[in-house]
Amino acid sequence: QGVLSDLTKVTGLHGLDPVVLVLVVGIVMFTLGFAGCVGALRENICLLKFFCGTIVFIFLLELAVAVMAFLFQDWVRDRVKEFFENNIKSYRDDIDLQNIIDSLQRINHCCGAQGPEDWDFNIYFDCKSESKSREKCGVPFSCCIPDPAQKVVNTQCGYDIRKKSKSQWDDQIFVKGCIHALEAWLPRNIYIVAGVFIAISLLQIFGIFLARTLISDIEAVKASNAF
């Protein structure tokens, strides 16, 4: 309950509770599974056509989303940038959000949306803020380049780092923004992404093929019985 409630802050869905999305997906999956299973057992053509049509619709929807994401890359990049900036602002407001951002920065070796300067969006890290925060003009510890010799994480490693010249940042923190890191991740893992997409597509096509074959067989039997 706590994690799902906090996802509203993470995703910025403007009041749309993620639990509702989980329920909707669950209802769709149950309905689709029920139609396919009962339709096959009872040889009900209406349920089988519903099952087949829904899978076709989902497949076309996935294809459309992939094509739109490719064609409108700048729009997607702007939405991702907005997502990061909004969550940077709320970094200290929610521990779950904080852990997600820290994990993202640590795993991808990145800092901020476009770079470390994005932490000025957060009142605690803002260099221009009148806040007396000790973290002022710093970055979270997840932006720091880890020291292999340190067994304990130094959570204060990012303090005052942005008061130094940018030439000194390279040795202490990640200077690449997380958007650029994610953009660089896709080409490196394009075969994995393509493989997953193809596997899911083949499963859906196989389900459509089985449903259409069963419908054809049922119709053929009914036609032969009619004569």
Side-chain angles (χ1 to χ4, degrees), residues 3-14:
V3 173
L4 287 173
S5 297
D6 292 330
L7 276 176
T8 304
K9 298 176 185 176
V10 177
T11 54
L13 292 175
H14 308 294

Side-chain angles (χ1 to χ4, degrees), residues 114-163:
Q114 302 282 3
E117 295 95 335
D118 287 336
W119 282 99
D120 279 337
F121 289 115
N122 187 286
I123 190 172
Y124 297 100
F125 296 94
D126 186 5
C127 284
K128 300 179 288 296
S129 171
E130 296 180 0
S131 169
K132 301 297 182 182
S133 169
R134 181 64 189 86
E135 296 175 310
K136 182 178 179 179
C137 224
V139 293
F141 74 94
S142 54
C143 284
C144 296
I145 299 174
D147 185 351
Q150 286 185 339
K151 294 184 178 179
V152 179
V153 176
N154 179 10
T155 57
Q156 300 180 358
C157 61
Y159 285 7
D160 302 323
I161 186 66
R162 289 190 294 126
K163 290 181 180 177

Side-chain angles (χ1 to χ4, degrees), residues 179-216:
I179 293 177
H180 300 303
L182 291 173
E183 287 177 344
W185 177 89
L186 186 57
R188 291 199 311 269
N189 298 273
I190 189 66
Y191 293 112
I192 296 174
V193 174
V196 170
F197 181 77
I198 291 171
I200 293 172
S201 300
L202 288 176
L203 285 172
Q204 291 174 326
I205 292 170
F206 185 60
I208 294 167
F209 169 76
L210 288 179
R212 290 304 311 168
T213 302
L214 185 55
I215 290 170
S216 298

Side-chain angles (χ1 to χ4, degrees), residues 26-144:
I27 290 169
V28 170
M29 290 177 65
F30 173 81
T31 305
L32 191 59
F34 178 84
C37 184
V38 175
L41 289 173
R42 303 296 297 175
E43 296 185 351
N44 188 305
I45 292 179
C46 290
L47 287 177
L48 288 172
K49 284 184 176 180
F50 171 78
F51 173 80
C52 184
T54 305
I55 294 182
V56 170
F57 174 75
I58 292 172
F59 176 75
L60 293 176
L61 190 63
E62 291 169 351
L63 201 59
V65 169
V67 172
M68 294 291 283
F70 178 77
L71 294 177
F72 298 96
Q73 293 181 39
D74 292 337
W75 183 87
V76 173
R77 190 180 293 107
D78 290 341
R79 298 291 76 75
V80 172
K81 180 175 179 289
E82 183 182 344
F83 167 82
F84 270 103
E85 290 175 354
N86 287 338
N87 290 319
I88 284 173
K89 292 176 186 177
S90 307
Y91 177 77
R92 285 297 186 208
D93 298 341
D94 184 84
I95 187 65
D96 291 314
L97 172 60
Q98 186 174 308
N99 290 335
I100 288 172
I101 293 176
D102 284 335
S103 296
L104 183 66
Q105 293 189 144
R106 195 164 52 245
I107 292 170
N108 292 286
H109 294 174
C110 59
C111 187
Q114 302 282 3
E117 295 95 335
D118 287 336
W119 282 99
D120 279 337
F121 289 115
N122 187 286
I123 190 172
Y124 297 100
F125 296 94
D126 186 5
C127 284
K128 300 179 288 296
S129 171
E130 296 180 0
S131 169
K132 301 297 182 182
S133 169
R134 181 64 189 86
E135 296 175 310
K136 182 178 179 179
C137 224
V139 293
F141 74 94
S142 54
C143 284
C144 296

